[in-house]
């Protein structure tokens, strides 16, 4: 089954639309769903032109395609998604794929903050950039992402994979400040530069194939390792936090 | 020349903060405190006008030498002048970079605007000018 | 004039010795009366179990540390969120809900009176502000005196009357109800990062011992004729082998009051531990219960632990730091100048954890081994042992051996060798549960004469009607029905109004705050004592004139005046 | 007439020993207060009556009209923002929360641009703190980090630290050491026993290094960290470990710089680490006299200290998303009620551009920068001058302010209660 949601032009164009109902599973029982613009409840078809092709009886067989102007203000798309596929032909708003446990979300444009927050399984592919707190935890600092994969082909913002405890996050471009802060498990890979990686880490592995700017002084240099054809410098830390995580960087600079 | 702009509290800002339409408040919050060597370099004397250009635009302030400020840094009391050029991004924390903006400085003959003028530039309407 | 008649209520009213008698209850203008006119509104409850409104004699629901527990725990707030609905405001939180959350959930369980267990005098105004937003229960606050400089100096000088005078002035100033000692002396030592190990350890600088503080404050409490006894959180909470310290503390207490106990020892579960360390940690509920059984002057509450997550919060700052070093989660501490302190950490009690399993057993054992239900009241030290919404499960555990056995089968397998619980056959009955959840509390707090905790004529019409018939349900078998019934009343009636019906709160409510003003002679009025005033203004950071809580903070002001013997 | 023990409604010190002289219902002299408090207590130039923007001019309106305008504005909005709250009393803040809940709006207070990051840090690791009197009576070491009390909290030093007498200190001035950590050599740095000058943006690294040194890992620390020598870091740690009672006070130097709340988290974790060796506490230098009260009120009523979004009925909290600067900069609200603050003076310009586009009502005694963006401004009494109410000091101690003048102005609470009643009526 393929559900196409094409956004209609909206009058109050900047109020975000919370659309946690947009999860493949929900379309198994039709398209009579609600979304919210601010404090107003709207029918799905007030916001989108809805087209359904084919049918399905399990989420795995549902693909939701979102398109149109203004998709960047759609929040919470794919929240608690457990199977199927969501494709966004453009940008997506905050909290896409929160608490996701299965299935695939593919975003052709950029993703706003908190992409895949507290994700436990499944796959998110972001072809553009991801904003702050990609694959992070929630306020209060417990476990962030615990499983699944997030792959960002552009850049990522600050606090990437904050508090990550499991799963894999891969960013092909640069990442911002505090990538992998409070990390205690899982794997974070940044293909280009980032700043202050793995601050306060307890465990897990963080790879920076570019330069770690503002490298923290509390990581203990162990030596060098070969990793997928690259020579990386291996650190253990964060010593300030009694951490036993692994940080691998190609190059680093202290703020001395 | 580029500088790191830090904004913060001063006694004079606090003393005038409940009277924001006063000349004293405008004077205090349009002061760009800097190191005397930096001023020399830019050819600025105390109270000379200086154009400060930040990520979101430019504003004219008055330069004043201060022993508290290190070279390469300027300090501006909290207020509408600094905020005229500060970016609204918060790194998704709610808090803008009030203490870490790269700005460019150049001497100018223009006068600093009044608070009313700044507000009207952004679409406001002054009440008791 | 408003009148209400509750018909066919199956009443258990222990303070009047009523045990499951079917009767009508007449209410006029918020009080229970002999009869009402024919114009009265009538509610027929068809034989449902009807009890005086529940009273929690030790809970943490309002004030600085409770609110800090909320403040630091956005993750806790993600549970229990409800929107505004009718007269109900929105709520958030599980272990430290918002004030409305506390009030609505307690009300749904039939609770109408709550005692905040620990209020720092300097921050009392905060507690009273939150009381205002706890609309469906009457409230009162135990006031902390454990690290009070003036009191420790008076004790050092051997002047018990001055101790009483300081308590009298402070209670009056901060609109407090009872006297609380939390880890006496330990909270002052903690302001140097130290603690006292037990009751014989002198407090740094002040050179008085916890035992001197306890004895002297108990005497002062009785000198003032306060309705409640001293409310003690013993030293050494939570450490293996602490039961000897607890027995030592309880052993200090003479029998000084004919009407009620002389000491209320709170959350004794946390103080009934054997062993020399965590490895040989075990239950010592038996010696504690045996001791309590021989001492009518002592009342305890359970401090039951239930499995799951919660937030611990207490004035016992050093204990929370030790807990933090075990758990390595977040830790807050808040020392209060010249008075006391507090600490907060989140915890998760797990069935798979041997120590947690033993703790769970100890609370139940205390309730089952204490012969008189009037001497062991039902609490979790909310939210320390568990959030109060777990009370119905605790009631069921006490009423059903079968339920206990079923639960016991799921705890850490080594628990059996460390606790007496599996061998205890006792099952409490409805009457005993009524004692442990309202009548006993009213008596222990000394508020039965104010019309609390019973349903006799003149009593406040605080009533809980539970959707269960005691003649049809066997609690030892049908424990699930007990849990459901105690979890949600059919009617909760507060001061003669139905405030909650099947879990929905129907009115915005307005509570009353009970506080105590002991009348002392001029010679013992600390407000006129030059030495007291001088020290106050030198070492506090708030002016003495700005310290007292104004009457504006008391929603319905219920002042209890006592004739002090000083 | 002299009114004693007046509570100063300026900063988070909430000094309550002020003496105010009143003549003919005007404040003519103020004793004991700092310059900031004196100026506020003697404040002039109040707005006389509510005003309404009418195209390019202002016209006077009645309180009734202004209140009705506000109620209508909030009821018709899809995502109203109710912002400010730190410059008013707790009782008004409570009404504000009820209003936000009723209209399903977002309520945020000035801590989002002040110590909001500190709250985010506390939510991750907790907060070992104490009341100010504990520090005054005990602390033999005080550290000001990214804080400049001489300018921002002028009496903090004399009431609680450097110049305060202390019960357990024989000669407090001599026995108490003060360390100042800052990127600027401020006036406060000049009265310190030890000044640690950090390169801008280096606080986090320095805090991490100190934690490692406290744990005995000195050898792994580079020779300099953000401009601070290893020797000085070791000296600071020795001072900390050698203290009987250490107190850290931090300011916006940590909250407004890169990493934001992670800086404070690191500072708190340093204090937790030091607590294994000696007594240590840490506290934020809160700005507005009642910003902490606003956090307290929001917390007991909604569960969260600031940045609460009721759009969906239940409280949702996510600073960075539900905070005022973000909402305005992203144009995500369609009306604003401002109480007890002046966002136009303190927010980046982009936020102001949106304020210019939406209806705005402000409750404030004075014309201020935000006035220019208002559709309606309602002048109110000033808490602590002509209105009473509760305020929470920076350490959480609640104090009831006093009234020194009687004016005809309604308090914030009175105005808000009337708005709330109208809105309740409309919703019912």
């Amino acid at each position: 089954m393929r559900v196409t949601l094409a956004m209609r032009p909206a009058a109050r164009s900047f109020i975000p639309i919370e659309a946690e109902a947009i999860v493949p599973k929900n379309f198994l029982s039709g398209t009579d769903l609600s979304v919210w613009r601010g404090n107003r409840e709207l029918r799905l078809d007030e916001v989108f032109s809805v087209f359904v092709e084919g049918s399905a009886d399990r989420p795995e067989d549902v693909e939701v395609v979102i398109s149109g102007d203004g998709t960047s203000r759609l929040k919470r798309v794919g929240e608690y998604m457990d199977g199927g596929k969501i494709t966004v032909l453009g940008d997506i708003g905050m909290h896409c794929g929160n608490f996701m446990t299965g299935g695939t979300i593919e975003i052709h444009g950029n993703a706003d903050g908190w992409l895949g927050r507290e994700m436990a399984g499944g796959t998110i592919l972001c072809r553009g950039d991801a904003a702050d707190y990609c694959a992070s935890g929630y306020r209060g600092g417990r476990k962030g992402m615990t499983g699944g994969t997030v792959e960002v082909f552009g850049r990522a913002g600050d606090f990437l994979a904050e508090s990550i405890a499991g799963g894999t996050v891969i960013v092909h471009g640069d990442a911002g400040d505090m990538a992998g802060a409070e990390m205690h498990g899982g794997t974070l890979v940044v293909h280009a530069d980032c700043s202050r990686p793995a601050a306060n880490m307890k465990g897990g592995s963080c790879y920076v194939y570019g330069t770690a700017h503002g490298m923290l002084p509390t990581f203990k240099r162990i030596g060098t390792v070969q990793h997928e054809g690259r020579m990386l410098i291996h650190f253990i830390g964060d010593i300030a936090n009694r951490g036993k995580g692994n940080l691998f960087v190609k190059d680093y600079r202290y703020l001395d | 020349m580029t500088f790191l702009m830090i904004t913060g509290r001063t006694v004079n800002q606090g003393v005038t903060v409940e009277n924001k339409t006063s000349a004293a408040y405008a004077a205090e919050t349009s002061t760009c405190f800097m190191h005397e060597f930096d001023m020399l370099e830019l050819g600025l004397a105390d109270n000379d006008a200086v154009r400060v250009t930040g990520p979101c635009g430019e504003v004219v302030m008055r330069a004043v030498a201060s022993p508290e400020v290190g070279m390469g840094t300027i300090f501006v009391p909290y207020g509408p002048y600094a905020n005229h050029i500060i970016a609204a991004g918060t790194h998704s924390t709610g808090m803008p970079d009030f203490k870490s903006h790269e700005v460019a400085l150049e001497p100018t003959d223009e006068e600093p605007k009044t608070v009313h003028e700044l507000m009207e530039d952004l679409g406001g309407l002054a009440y008791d000018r | 004039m408003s009148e209400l008649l509750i018909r066919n209520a199956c009443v258990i009213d222990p303070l009047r010795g009523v045990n499951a008698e079917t009767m009508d209850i007449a209410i006029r203008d918020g009080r229970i009366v002999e009869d009402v006119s024919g114009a009265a509104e009538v509610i027929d409850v068809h034989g449902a179990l009807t009890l005086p409104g529940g009273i929690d004699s030790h809970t943490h629901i309002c004030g600085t540390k409770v609110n800090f527990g909320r403040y630091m725990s956005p993750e806790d707030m993600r549970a229990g969120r409800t929107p505004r609905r009718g007269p109900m405001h929105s709520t958030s939180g599980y272990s430290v809900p918002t004030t409305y959350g506390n009030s609505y959930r307690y009300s749904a369980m039939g609770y109408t009176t709550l005692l905040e267990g620990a209020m720092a005098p300097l921050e009392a105004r905060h507690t009273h502000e939150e009381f205002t937003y706890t609309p469906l229960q009457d409230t009162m606050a135990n006031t902390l005196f454990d690290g009070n400089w003036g009191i420790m100096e008076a004790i050092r000088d051997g002047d018990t009357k001055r101790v009483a005078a300081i308590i009298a002035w402070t209670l009056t100033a901060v609109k407090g109800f009872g006297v609380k000692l939390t880890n006496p002396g330990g909270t002052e030592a903690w302001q140097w990062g130290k603690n006292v190990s037990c009751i014989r350890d002198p407090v740094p600088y002040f050179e008085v011992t916890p035992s001197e503080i306890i004895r002297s404050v108990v005497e002062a409490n009785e000198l003032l004729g306060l309705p409640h006894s001293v409310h003690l959180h013993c030293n050494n909470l939570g450490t293996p082998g602490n039961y000897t310290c607890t027995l030592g503390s309880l052993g200090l207490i003479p029998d000084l009051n004919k009407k009620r106990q002389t000491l209320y020892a709170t959350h004794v579960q946390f103080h009934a531990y054997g062993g020399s360390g965590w490895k040989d940690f075990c239950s010592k509920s038996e010696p504690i219960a045996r001791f309590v059984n021989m001492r009518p002057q002592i009342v305890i509450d359970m401090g039951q632990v239930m499995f799951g997550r919660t937030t611990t919060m207490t004035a016992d700052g050093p204990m929370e730091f030790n807990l933090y070093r075990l758990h390595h989660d977040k830790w807050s501490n808040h020392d209060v100048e010249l008075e006391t302190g507090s600490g907060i950490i989140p915890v998760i009690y797990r069935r798979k954890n041997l120590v947690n399993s033993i703790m769970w057993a100890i609370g139940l054992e205390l309730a089952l081994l204490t012969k008189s239900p009037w001497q062991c009241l039902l609490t979790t030290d909310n939210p320390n042992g568990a959030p109060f919404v777990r009370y119905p499960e605790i009631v069921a555990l006490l009423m059903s051996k079968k339920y206990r056995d079923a639960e016991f089968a799921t705890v850490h397998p080594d628990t059996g060798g460390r606790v007496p619980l599996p061998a205890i056959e006792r099952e409490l009955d409805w009457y005993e549960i009524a004692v442990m959840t309202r009548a006993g509390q009213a008596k222990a707090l000394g508020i039965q004469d104010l019309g609390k905790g019973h349903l006799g004529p003149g009593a406040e019409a605080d009533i809980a009607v539970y959707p269960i018939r005691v003649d049809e349900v066997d609690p030892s078998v049908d424990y699930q029905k007990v849990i459901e019934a105690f979890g949600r009343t059919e009617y909760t009636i507060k001061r003669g109004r139905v405030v909650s019906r099947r879990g929905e709160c129907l009115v915005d409510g307005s509570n009353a705050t009970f506080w105590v003003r002991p009348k002392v002679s001029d010679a013992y009025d600390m407000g006129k004592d030059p030495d007291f005033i001088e020290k106050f203004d030198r070492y506090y950071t708030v002016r003495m004139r700005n310290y007292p809580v104004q009457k504006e903070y008391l929603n319905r002001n219920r002042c209890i005046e006592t004739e002090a013997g000083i | 007439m002299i009114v004693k023990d007046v509570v100063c409604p300026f900063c988070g010190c909430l000094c309550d020993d002020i003496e105010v002289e009143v003549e003919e219902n005007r404040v003519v002299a103020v004793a004991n207060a700092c310059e900031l408090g004196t100026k506020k207590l003697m404040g002039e130039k109040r707005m006389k009556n509510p005003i309404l923007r009418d195209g390019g001019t202002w016209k006077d309106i009645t309180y009734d009209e202004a209140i009705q305008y506000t109620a209508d504005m909030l009821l018709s909005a899809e995502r109203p923002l109710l912002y400010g709250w730190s410059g008013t009393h707790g009782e008004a803040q409570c009404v504000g929360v009820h209003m936000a809940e009723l209209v399903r709006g977002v309520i945020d207070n000035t801590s989002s641009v002040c110590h909001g990051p500190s709250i985010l840090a506390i939510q991750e690791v907790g907060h070992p703190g104490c009341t100010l009197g504990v520090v005054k009576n005990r602390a033999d070491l005080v550290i000001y980090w990214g804080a400049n009390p001489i300018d921002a909290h002028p009496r903090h030093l004399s009431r609680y630290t450097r110049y305060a007498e202390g019960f357990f200190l024989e000669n407090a001035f001599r026995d108490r050491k003060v360390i100042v950590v800052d990127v600027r050599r401020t006036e406060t740095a000049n009265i310190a026993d030890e000044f640690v000058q950090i390169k801008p943006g280096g606080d986090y690294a320095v805090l991490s290094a100190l934690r490692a040194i406290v744990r005995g890992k000195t050898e792994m620390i580079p020779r300099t960290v953000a401009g601070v020598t290893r020797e000085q870091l070791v000296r600071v740690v020795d001072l900390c470990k050698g203290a009987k009672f250490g107190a850290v006070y931090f300011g916006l130097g940590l909250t407004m710089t890169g990493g934001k709340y992670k800086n404070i988290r690191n500072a708190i974790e340093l204090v937790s680490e030091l607590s294994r060796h000696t007594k240590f506490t840490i506290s934020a230098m809160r700005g507005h006299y009642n910003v902490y009260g606003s956090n307290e009120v929001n917390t007991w009523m909604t569960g969260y200290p600031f940045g609460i979004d009721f759009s969906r009925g239940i409280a949702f909290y996510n600073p960075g998303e539900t905070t005022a600067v973000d909402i305005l900069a992203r144009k995500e609200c369609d009306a604003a009620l401002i109480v007890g603050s002046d966002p136009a003076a303190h927010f980046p310009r982009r936020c102001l551009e949106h304020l210019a586009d939406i209806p705005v009502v402000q409750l404030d005694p004075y014309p201020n920068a935000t006035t220019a963006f208002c559709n309606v401004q309602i002048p109110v009494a000033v808490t602590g001058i002509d209105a009473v109410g509760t305020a929470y000091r920076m350490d959480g101690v609640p104090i009831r302010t006093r009234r020194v003048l009687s004016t005809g102005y309604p308090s914030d609470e009175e105005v808000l209660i009337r708005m709330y009643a109208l809105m309740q009526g409309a919703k019912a």
Side-chain angles (χ1 to χ4, degrees), chain A residues 132-133 139 158-159, chain B residues 90-94:
Chain A
D132 305 320
Y133 289 102
R139 305 301 181 189
D158 294 342
F159 308 108
Chain B
T90 72
H91 308 265
S92 303
T93 65

Side-chain angles (χ1 to χ4, degrees), chain A:
Chain A
M1 184 165 90
R2 185 179 160 97
V3 180
T4 305
L5 303 174
M7 257 187 111
R8 298 172 186 275
R12 304 207 194 211
S13 61
F14 290 107
I15 306 282
I17 291 172
E18 294 199 10
E20 73 275 19
I22 301 180
V23 176
K25 183 172 66 180
N26 287 348
F27 291 96
L28 294 174
S29 42
T31 59
D32 186 15
L33 300 169
S34 286
V35 298
W36 290 74
R37 186 177 66 212
N39 53 27
R40 304 297 149 96
E41 189 174 7
L42 303 171
R43 288 192 322 274
L44 192 66
D45 62 9
E46 289 180 87
V47 178
F48 300 95
S49 302
V50 183
F51 306 98
V52 180
E53 301 160 70
S55 65
D57 11 86
R58 43 185 213 126
E60 288 71 21
D61 299 330
V62 178
E63 183 183 3
V64 181
V65 180
I66 301 171
S67 64
D69 277 350
T71 52
S72 64
R73 65 198 168 89
L74 287 177
K75 288 183 180 176
R76 298 170 67 184
V77 167
E79 189 174 277
Y80 290 106
M81 171 166 168
D82 56 359
K85 183 162 188 198
I86 296 176
T87 304
V88 183
L89 302 173
D91 301 340
I92 195 68
M94 292 176 182
H95 302 289
C96 178
N98 284 189
F99 312 109
M100 179 171 174
T101 56
T104 301
I105 298 177
E106 183 170 4
I107 300 146
H108 287 267
N110 301 326
D112 210 334
W114 291 279
L115 173 67
R117 164 166 72 93
E118 295 173 272
M119 179 174 178
T123 303
I124 296 178
L125 301 170
C126 176
R127 300 283 166 197
D129 299 338
D132 305 320
Y133 289 102
C134 174
S136 74
Y138 177 64
R139 305 301 181 189
R142 293 291 168 84
K143 278 181 188 167
M145 180 169 170
T146 54
T149 303
V150 175
E151 188 162 7
V152 177
F153 292 87
R155 291 166 299 167
D158 294 342
F159 308 108
L160 167 69
E162 185 199 38
S163 304
I164 183 174
T168 304
V169 177
I170 301 159
V171 174
H172 291 268
D174 293 337
D177 193 22
M178 292 275 162
E182 329 297 345
M183 178 167 195
H184 33 131
T187 305
L188 170 62
V189 184
V190 177
H191 282 248
D193 299 350
C194 69
S195 143
R196 296 194 279 190
N200 219 37
M201 87 191 297
K202 269 280 187 198
S205 297
C206 176
Y207 298 84
V208 180
Y209 296 165
T211 300
H213 296 285
M215 173 79 186
L216 293 172
T218 46
F219 282 80
K220 187 171 178 156
R221 190 174 163 144
I222 303 295
T224 53
V225 291
Q226 280 293 327
H227 171 79
E228 295 183 1
R230 294 177 184 84
M231 178 80 90
L232 298 176
I233 306 159
H234 182 197
F235 291 88
I236 297 281
D238 186 334
I239 303 300
N241 198 29
R242 296 176 164 76
K244 293 188 172 62
N246 295 297
L247 171 62
F248 304 89
V249 301
K250 175 153 175 296
D251 189 17
Y252 64 99
R253 289 198 197 116
Y254 287 124
L255 176 66
D256 51 7

